[in-house]
Amino acid sequence: MKLTHQWLSILEGCVLVALGLHILNSVGLLISGTAGIGMILNTMTDLSFGQLFFILNLPFYVLAWRALGKEFALRTFIAVSTLSGLSELLRHVAHIDIHPIVSAVLGGLLVGFGLIILFRHNASLGGLNILAVYLERRFQIHASRTTLVADIGILVAAIMVLDGWRLICSLLAFLLLSSVVGRYHRPPTWAQNTETKHA
């Protein structure tokens, strides 16, 4: 029963993230992390976002396997594959006409809450999420801090492919995602115990 709940939760997290990314993609906005890199490359290649997202994550599985354990790596691989598949599906069946600001708000919140679900069930969406979880477990650096640094890097790269208005709306999505992760993500029990010992 516990295993079923865990995998169902991971699926639900992927659905929320996929929907959020699709809403953002529908008006050409970006989000942080590997997904943001995939969105930028999507404007430069003939590959779809789902294909790029899957490919970009491949190198990070080595870090996940060695540093975070095979179970985490397996869950992350399945989550990334699921998100890539859902992104491909939504691209063909869901066509959205939405204002960029509304897209930024909905997209940022959906991706943020989807990531929270995945983090709480020992999974991630690969790439920079793996790095965020690794830094949190190894050095007790909160995942939201790593996410914020990644956001800044993606925004700098986004200047090359986005106009000013879409850049502002993307920044709004970034801030909402970071806010959700910062407020609702709770470090693992071992991290809390470590902080108590140092207090």
Side-chain angles (χ1 to χ4, degrees), residues 172-191:
L172 175 60
F174 288 7
L175 293 175
L176 288 170
L177 184 155
S178 183
S179 173
V180 168
V181 173
R183 286 182 293 118
Y184 292 101
H185 177 57
R186 296 293 177 265
T189 304
W190 63 263

Side-chain angles (χ1 to χ4, degrees), residues 88-103:
E88 287 295 302
L89 177 64
L90 289 173
R91 185 166 67 94
H92 293 291
V93 303
H95 304 286
I96 302 174
D97 183 13
I98 189 171
H99 192 280
I101 293 181
V102 178
S103 171

Side-chain angles (χ1 to χ4, degrees), residues 4-78:
T4 301
H5 169 75
Q6 183 179 64
W7 285 108
L8 186 58
S9 297
I10 290 175
L11 175 61
E12 291 167 348
C14 289
V15 170
L16 289 180
V17 174
L19 183 57
L21 292 177
H22 183 66
I23 290 173
L24 292 167
N25 268 323
S26 67
V27 291
L29 302 186
L30 301 180
I31 200 65
S32 66
T34 314
I37 298 172
M39 289 172 166
I40 291 174
L41 292 177
N42 186 227
T43 66
M44 305 175 182
T45 70
D46 294 328
L47 296 176
S48 68
F49 167 76
Q51 294 169 332
L52 287 166
F53 186 71
F54 184 83
I55 293 170
L56 286 169
N57 275 293
L58 292 176
F60 288 94
Y61 295 128
V62 177
L63 174 62
W65 186 278
R66 292 182 177 179
L68 303 174
K70 62 181 181 180
E71 290 186 4
F72 178 84
L74 177 62
R75 291 189 186 98
T76 295
F77 175 78
I78 293 174

